[in-house]
Amino acid sequence: MKKLSSKEVLVIGFALFAMFFGAGNLIFPPSIGLLAGEKWKAALLGFSLTGIGLPILGVLSVAISGGSINSLLNKVGPKFALIFSILIMVLIGPLLAIPRTGATAFEIGIQPLFPSIGPVISSLIFFGLTLFLTISSTSIIDVIGKFLTPILLIMISTIIIKGILNPIGVPIDTNMTQPFSTGFGDGYQTMDLLAAIVFGGIIVDDIKNKGITEKNEQFKTIAKTGLIAGIGLGIVYGGLLYLGAAGSSVFPQGIEKVSLTTNITITILGHLGKIVLGICVYSACLTTSVGLTATVGHFFSNISKEKFNYKTIVIISTIVSIIISNIGVESIITFADPILKIVYPIAIILVIINVFDNLIENKKIYLGATIGTFCVSLVDGLSAMGVNTSFIGEFIQTLPFADSGFGWIFPAILGIILTHLITKLKENAFA
């Protein structure tokens, strides 16, 4: 039985880390730390579950299910698999994630260094480069990706280490009442669990291409690579979140996420830090944008059976991304919040159940869990949009864990139980 060498496992682990750690993820941990202040450890635990633990679990879950996004989602049903996979691709594509890379590139990479350049011009240049690199067969993006991650990590490590050795301030009491659930909920914004459902198939294919065909060995290999990626993400997120917490005595609550990250860097490294951060973030955003745009192009080209070719989809995706990116990072995050509150709990419950798939005889519980979760997550999402959910919303707030934002857990369990009982009753009725 073939096994990968430690070096090969390490390389895949770093690749998985790079997939999850986009430049946009730089802005979330500091803002959570700022909000949490002296309660930053509890916030870090919550953020780590959705920003690290669940994405790694998502990759493992895809491997267990059969190695693709469809193999996981088909357990609910083929129509659901099609709709949900399209939704995931739209969210990590032109609706949220890709526009956010353009907006982040402008606000961190361009605006601080070239204040005379506006967001429209910046987005046209950024997505023009994205379109060129996505459609062409050039290897420029491979070169950027190969050298970018180490440079970005060195820069971030420098900021974190110096920020810990010479703190910019001290964590203070910010009167946050639920740091864990806040960190957990803000982890949705990374969208890494949704991306993991896609990345899982890529990692499985890569391991198969290296000659690892035995299922058990594939799982062990992915678990090792996931551990490597998880440790890397944990160190980076933990360090950045602490810097934000230390800044709670320096920066005002309510400061925009991009401004906070930039100001922390300038405070620690001076003006040079702004230049280095801008260059690295811009390059990282461009790499992420190209990767996501290509993924979206291939996905929709395949499911349409080439009725919409790759180039057409990429062009449409780029145009939509240009438009949305101009509303700014904070507005994109605000816009994304209710959508992710609807979608994320469904992804979470499916991933968790699938980990125990070998122990589950009645596969219909996937549908029951999805329905139960959706009933609550939909109401939570609508409430976040400002829609009056009336007595339904009030009832949901009485459910276990609802006050912490986890009201969907009990209905998911109830959905599993009811589905199982109904299935058994039907089997006995026709026995």
Side-chain angles (χ1 to χ4, degrees), residues 123-142:
S123 63
L124 288 172
I125 294 172
F126 180 85
F127 286 109
L129 288 170
T130 295
L131 186 62
F132 170 74
L133 293 171
T134 306
I135 290 179
S136 70
S137 57
T138 179
S139 61
I140 293 175
I141 200 65
D142 294 327

Side-chain angles (χ1 to χ4, degrees), residues 365-403:
I365 68 165
Y366 282 91
L367 177 59
T370 301
I371 293 173
T373 304
F374 178 67
C375 287
V376 173
S377 69
L378 177 62
V379 175
D380 286 343
L382 291 174
S383 296
M385 292 178 193
V387 177
N388 183 6
T389 53
S390 183
F391 68 94
I392 299 177
E394 294 175 5
F395 170 73
I396 287 175
Q397 287 305 309
T398 65
L399 296 173
F401 315 115
D403 58 342

